């Protein structure tokens, strides 16, 4: 039995190849449980469902219940056969949570979903959750701000990709801010941050210290 599993919830991503890792092979080997949001949403709208669908909220007016989606995650962590060992150190990938807001879910409902996922994945299975959230910088988007702030307070590692304050640059495409948080430490010692700049290549990304682009040197 593989020791690691990733359940990816997504609307545009397909399980082919990502960063040199064949997700199709991983899925065939039982290392990946994948829910493709775009395809699944079509099933919800146009096909009769004998059982609750993970995206059942799409058919419900003013729905604020993501329990079927959580149940999908919980069931994915169970052994396929009674004789198989349970997943160890699973990783839940959610790409991306902002889509749920666009589909009409409230920030509180999304945070509740993540809370239950953390209880199952992180605390019970000793795994991790990796979630993508968009930050447009629009202070008027209150729901997205609530979601972003709520997740930030719960996260131990925050990666924030952003553009350059100086605008477009041919050799530096943006910067990545990395923030580590250790809740058990005193307030003055619990946060540690680094900033790297990056350039997107054809098949990779180059990272370098801020102001140390090879083009500048």
């Amino acid at each position: 039995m593989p020791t690691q599993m990733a359940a990816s919830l997504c609307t545009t991503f397909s399980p082919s190849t990502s960063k040199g890792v064949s997700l199709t092979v991983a899925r065939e080997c039982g290392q990946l449980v994948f829910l493709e949001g775009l395809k699944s949403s079509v099933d919800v709208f146009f096909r009769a469902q004998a059982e609750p669908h993970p995206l059942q909220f799409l058919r419900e007016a003013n729905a604020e219940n993501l329990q079927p989606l959580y149940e999908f995650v919980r069931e994915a962590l169970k052994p396929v056969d009674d004789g198989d060992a349970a997943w160890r150190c699973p990783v839940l990938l959610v790409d991306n949570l902002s889509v749920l807001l666009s589909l009409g879910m409230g920030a509180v409902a999304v945070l509740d979903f993540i809370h239950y996922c953390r209880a199952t994945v992180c605390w019970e299975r000793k795994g991790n959750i990796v979630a993508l959230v968009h930050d447009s910088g629009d202070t008027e988007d209150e729901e997205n701000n609530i979601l972003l702030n709520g997740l930030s307070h719960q996260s131990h590692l925050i990666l924030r990709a952003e553009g350059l304050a100086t605008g477009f640059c041919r050799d530096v495409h943006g910067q990545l801010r990395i923030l580590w948080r250790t809740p058990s430490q005193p307030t003055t010692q619990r946060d540690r941050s680094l900033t790297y700049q990056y350039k997107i290549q054809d098949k990779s990304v180059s990272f370098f210290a801020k102001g140390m682009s090879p083009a500048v040197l």
Side-chain angles (χ1 to χ4, degrees):
M1 189 67 160
T3 60
Q4 194 169 32
M5 182 279 293
S8 180
L9 315 177
C10 176
T11 56
T12 59
F13 175 71
S14 59
S16 54
T17 302
S18 178
K19 301 302 181 184
V21 178
S22 176
L23 301 183
T24 300
V25 173
R27 188 177 186 181
E28 292 173 352
C29 295
Q31 294 176 305
L32 174 70
V33 177
F34 181 78
L35 174 63
E36 187 172 2
L38 184 59
K39 181 180 179 180
S40 297
S41 62
V42 174
D43 294 338
V44 171
F45 285 121
F46 299 106
R47 297 179 185 177
Q49 304 294 325
E51 299 179 357
H53 193 276
L55 303 181
Q56 187 65 34
F57 69 90
L58 293 174
R59 294 181 60 97
E60 301 174 0
N62 300 321
E64 288 291 322
N65 184 9
L66 288 172
Q67 182 176 351
L69 189 57
Y70 163 72
E71 292 295 336
F72 169 83
V73 174
R74 189 172 65 86
E75 290 296 322
L77 293 171
K78 291 183 177 180
V80 177
D81 300 316
D82 294 337
D84 291 334
W87 293 106
R88 291 181 297 167
C89 304
V91 179
L92 172 64
L93 305 176
V94 188
D95 181 12
N96 67 66
L97 286 173
S98 296
V99 170
L100 295 175
L101 298 182
S102 301
L103 293 173
M105 299 301 298
V108 174
V110 179
L111 288 172
D112 285 344
F113 165 69
I114 289 295
H115 171 77
Y116 282 103
C117 287
R118 288 182 64 206
T120 300
V121 177
C122 301
W123 297 330
E124 293 182 11
R125 304 288 183 174
K126 308 304 180 184
N128 292 286
I129 296 178
V130 180
L132 172 66
V133 180
H134 288 299
D135 180 12
S136 62
D138 185 1
T139 56
E140 295 182 358
D141 193 344
E142 183 177 354
E143 289 292 296
N144 193 75
N145 290 337
I146 293 174
L147 176 60
L148 189 62
N149 292 333
L151 288 177
S152 296
H153 287 296
Q154 299 177 36
S155 301
H156 294 91
L157 177 63
I158 301 173
L159 304 179
R160 189 183 187 98
E162 55 192 14
L164 298 175
T166 54
F168 174 79
C169 178
R170 185 181 63 181
D171 298 301
V172 182
H173 294 155
Q175 66 181 22
L176 180 69
R177 289 196 291 171
I178 305 173
L179 176 64
W180 286 273
R181 283 183 169 172
T182 308
S184 59
Q185 296 294 328
T187 304
T188 56
Q189 302 176 2
R190 69 182 182 183
D191 293 349
R192 184 164 61 95
S193 63
L194 290 173
T195 300
Y196 291 96
Q197 293 181 334
Y198 63 86
K199 180 179 180 180
I200 301 176
Q201 312 286 352
D202 290 338
K203 295 184 179 180
S204 63
V205 180
S206 298
F207 292 91
F208 36 84
K210 189 173 181 180
M212 298 295 288
S213 168
V216 176
L217 297 177

